Amino acid sequence: MKSIKILTVFVAVIMLLMTMTSCLGGGTNDVKVSCTISVVAGDVFILDEYPYEAVGQDGAAPTILNAVEGLLLYNDIAYVVDGGRFDSISDVEGTVYEQGANNYFWLCTINGEEMKGRADNVVVNEGDVIVYEYTLVEPE
């Protein structure tokens, strides 16, 4: 009877340790996706067709915002995340801003098509070609 109690306590301790290890990062749930990213400001290529492994977190695929932000950090390029309405990256180091440039914006294309949605919601897929560009947008 005493040996059954000891065995039960031993099994309970092992299960507790296994649970704590998995909760404290014993494994990783990061999702990694290979893509190519360019960051362009007018005629200046800040990063040109840079191969990059974007990383999502907690089992989620990486977003455009994760990918571009991660690449800028990796290359020690200063930037600002505009957490307002659009959650996008702005003020990238190396950008020359036009005086009174009210119609210039940071736009993103994925595989040659304009991104639909917010940079923090659009998922990067394996092999995507992303171009993040500061450009003139003519009013319609």
Side-chain angles (χ1 to χ4, degrees):
M1 184 71 156
K2 187 176 181 182
S3 62
I4 292 176
K5 286 183 181 179
I6 291 172
L7 182 60
T8 303
V9 169
F10 179 73
V11 170
V13 168
I14 295 294
M15 290 177 67
L16 179 64
L17 288 174
M18 288 173 54
T19 302
M20 289 175 60
T21 301
S22 67
C23 290
L24 295 175
T28 179
N29 289 331
D30 293 349
V31 176
K32 297 178 181 179
V33 177
S34 296
C35 60
T36 303
I37 302 175
S38 297
V39 178
V40 184
D43 294 336
V44 178
F45 282 82
I46 298 168
L47 293 168
D48 188 16
E49 296 183 4
Y50 199 100
Y52 186 68
E53 187 172 73
V55 180
Q57 298 172 343
D58 299 324
T63 65
I64 297 294
L65 186 62
N66 295 141
V68 175
E69 186 174 18
L71 181 60
L72 292 172
L73 281 170
Y74 179 78
N75 285 282
D76 292 323
I77 298 172
Y79 63 94
V80 172
V81 173
D82 174 12
R85 218 172 80 179
F86 300 109
D87 259 352
S88 82
I89 295 172
S90 62
D91 295 333
V92 176
E93 178 183 337
T95 303
V96 177
Y97 292 98
E98 301 294 324
Q99 196 71 319
N102 294 333
N103 294 334
Y104 279 80
F105 299 94
W106 283 97
L107 298 178
C108 182
T109 60
I110 305 164
N111 303 322
E113 294 187 23
E114 189 174 316
M115 178 180 72
K116 292 175 179 43
R118 293 169 38 139
D120 63 335
N121 290 332
V122 176
V123 171
V124 177
N125 294 303
E126 187 70 29
D128 277 352
V129 175
I130 301 163
V131 177
Y132 202 72
E133 183 175 12
Y134 182 70
T135 187
L136 175 65
V137 177
E138 295 290 342
E140 294 180 2

